Amino acid sequence: MKTESIREEDVQRAWLVVDLEGKVLGRVATHIAAALRGKNKAYFTPHVDCGDHVVVINAEKVAVTGRKEENKKYWWHTGWVGSIHNRTVAEKRETDPAFLITNAVKGMLPKNRLGRQMLKKLHVYVGPEHKHEAQTPVAWEI
């Protein structure tokens, strides 16, 4: 039996809509990352971007377990001496709820140009409305 490798032009992309209201962040991020990579398809090829577009709605209503709301911190450094900053999940949720989902999914994708290309197919929206109705997305229950 011969192994088939799919080409970029043979990929069939779908549009999926995920409602995150009440869903746990890490558990839903693994499913989203797998769909962006295309691992849910029979013709998955590791060196080709064969994943689907994923539209995430209600990003501000995603749940975290345990005491992560107060204890988990997101760190970044500005490049200046002594300028390391951090924010908790609760503070990030108030200012930029889409960051929580994007950051979780980004950590699960490959760390190369293919992973950056896959991340561009993730569309995160705060609230139940999105602007991708023309693509006729399919509701995806995780």
Side-chain angles (χ1 to χ4, degrees), residues 108-125:
M108 298 177 189
L109 292 176
K111 294 0 178 230
N112 53 25
R113 71 179 81 165
L114 187 62
R116 290 187 294 274
Q117 182 180 346
M118 291 173 185
L119 191 63
K120 289 179 184 177
K121 295 184 306 200
L122 176 65
H123 313 279
V124 182
Y125 293 98

Side-chain angles (χ1 to χ4, degrees), residues 26-123:
R27 295 183 184 270
V28 76
T30 57
H31 292 287
I32 292 172
L36 289 173
R37 273 198 88 182
K39 292 195 99 170
N40 55 350
K41 297 184 179 181
Y43 55 80
F44 170 69
T45 308
H47 65 278
V48 176
D49 181 13
C50 52
D52 298 328
H53 290 267
V54 179
V55 178
V56 175
I57 57 174
N58 289 325
E60 76 282 0
K61 296 179 183 175
V62 69
V64 289
T65 58
R67 299 181 62 187
K68 293 186 190 87
E69 196 78 30
E70 307 91 32
N71 293 346
K72 180 175 174 63
K73 298 195 185 290
Y74 292 102
W75 298 83
W76 72 95
H77 194 279
T78 64
W80 292 84
V81 177
S83 295
I84 192 162
H85 298 287
N86 62 15
R87 297 283 185 269
T88 63
V89 171
E91 292 168 343
K92 280 302 239 185
R93 189 187 304 269
E94 290 175 7
T95 58
D96 186 17
F99 172 81
L100 299 175
I101 291 96
T102 306
N103 190 49
V105 171
K106 182 180 178 181
M108 298 177 189
L109 292 176
K111 294 0 178 230
N112 53 25
R113 71 179 81 165
L114 187 62
R116 290 187 294 274
Q117 182 180 346
M118 291 173 185
L119 191 63
K120 289 179 184 177
K121 295 184 306 200
L122 176 65
H123 313 279

